[in-house]
Amino acid sequence: MDMVSIMIGDAAAKQLQNVPLSDNTISRRIQDMAEDINDQLIEKLIGNDFAIQLDEATDSHNDAHLICYVRFILNDVFYEDLLFCYSYFFYYFW
């Protein structure tokens, strides 16, 4: 709120305070954005040739992750994007 007040003004900060920002709301919005980005990527892949690369990595907590990258050409431009990343626990027990 302080940043909005400084950058835009007090009126904008007061309006922003009316937006519900509970943990559930934020979590749901992040999930919705992630699904939308994933849907957009899949739409780009449909009907086009693509390659995937699977990789295994561990994070700072020594948790293993399976990562899938996708590469494709669209309108003569080469793209590389993250398709998914699953923790091994999620991957094996899903």
Side-chain angles (χ1 to χ4, degrees):
M1 294 301 155
D2 291 338
M3 182 177 69
V4 173
S5 179
I6 292 169
M7 299 293 289
I8 302 174
D10 291 330
K14 288 179 182 177
Q15 286 181 345
L16 193 57
Q17 287 177 347
N18 294 330
V19 177
L21 294 177
S22 70
D23 291 344
N24 292 339
T25 301
I26 293 171
S27 177
R28 187 182 71 248
R29 288 181 182 174
I30 291 171
Q31 183 65 33
D32 290 345
M33 287 188 290
E35 287 177 11
D36 182 56
I37 291 169
N38 191 46
D39 291 344
Q40 290 179 36
L41 178 59
I42 290 173
E43 285 179 15
K44 291 177 184 177
L45 296 176
I46 293 175
N48 291 316
D49 293 332
F50 61 89
I52 61 172
Q53 174 186 344
L54 295 175
D55 194 12
E56 177 185 12
T58 54
D59 61 16
S60 60
H61 298 293
N62 288 327
D63 295 329
H65 299 278
L66 178 65
I67 305 168
C68 180
Y69 300 97
V70 63
R71 294 183 182 104
F72 60 99
I73 298 174
L74 183 65
N75 300 326
D76 296 328
V77 178
F78 180 80
Y79 292 93
E80 178 178 84
D81 210 334
L82 175 70
L83 189 58
F84 64 81
C85 176
Y86 293 126
S87 68
Y88 268 29
F89 177 80
F90 179 78
Y91 181 70
Y92 284 126
F93 298 105
W94 176 246

